[in-house]
């Protein structure tokens, strides 16, 4: 089993940047596709970014494309989400997730999840 712990969330102003980190333990993440999801109050969970096993392929939700960048460092067992030009509508709890299988933009829920980190963007 792999355990995931997110960090880096906080409160920022619109236009600011944040970098979220997801540290894995128990397994090496090189065997996993990694995902970032978010969920805002009253809204359904949304997959915002995915990255393949080696990091060679990435996908983004239209709402964040061009502003967010997902990356991974398999040697450090960590995945990142660099968020720039943040908007109030980006406010949500952000979750890191992992699965051995590829399922694009999380249409099939990944098997492993972190507890989430809060991101709040004020106008």
């Amino acid at each position: 089993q792999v355990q995931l712990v997110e960090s880096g969330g906080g409160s920022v102003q619109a236009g600011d940047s944040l970098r979220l980190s997801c540290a894995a333990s128990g397994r090496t993440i090189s065997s996993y596709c990694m995902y970032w999801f978010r969920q805002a109050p009253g809204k359904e969970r949304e997959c915002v970014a995915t990255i393949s096993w080696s990091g060679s392929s990435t996908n983004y939700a239209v709402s964040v494309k061009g502003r967010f960048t997902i990356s991974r460092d398999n040697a450090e067992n960590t995945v990142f989400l660099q968020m720039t030009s943040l908007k109030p509508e980006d406010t949500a709890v952000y979750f890191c997730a992992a699965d051995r299988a590829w399922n694009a933009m999380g249409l099939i829920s990944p098997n492993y999840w972190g507890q989430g980190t809060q991101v709040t963007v004020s106008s």
Side-chain angles (χ1 to χ4, degrees):
Q1 297 182 358
V2 61
Q3 294 80 45
L4 306 172
V5 179
E6 303 95 334
S7 62
S11 298
V12 298
Q13 296 292 315
D16 285 351
S17 299
L18 279 176
R19 188 178 73 164
L20 305 183
S21 298
C22 174
S25 62
R27 296 286 191 277
T28 59
I29 65 168
S30 61
S31 297
Y32 296 87
C33 297
M34 303 298 295
Y35 306 79
W36 284 100
F37 288 79
R38 68 184 181 187
Q39 188 164 26
K43 298 182 179 179
E44 294 188 358
R45 184 183 64 199
E46 175 188 25
C47 183
V48 298
T50 66
I51 188 166
S52 62
W53 301 269
S54 66
S56 61
S57 297
T58 58
N59 294 96
Y60 299 93
V62 172
S63 58
V64 307
K65 191 173 184 179
R67 299 188 297 118
F68 290 11
T69 302
I70 187 171
S71 62
R72 65 192 298 163
D73 186 338
N74 288 346
E76 295 294 329
N77 243 22
T78 304
V79 62
F80 305 95
L81 185 68
Q82 179 68 48
M83 305 183 293
T84 63
S85 301
L86 283 163
K87 305 175 181 179
E89 51 263 45
D90 294 320
T91 296
V93 177
Y94 284 73
F95 298 90
C96 177
D99 201 288
R100 291 186 180 273
W102 176 256
N103 64 89
M105 292 294 291
L107 293 178
I108 302 173
S109 294
N111 284 327
Y112 306 100
W113 292 79
Q115 293 300 305
T117 185
Q118 177 71 47
V119 172
T120 302
V121 184
S122 301
S123 61

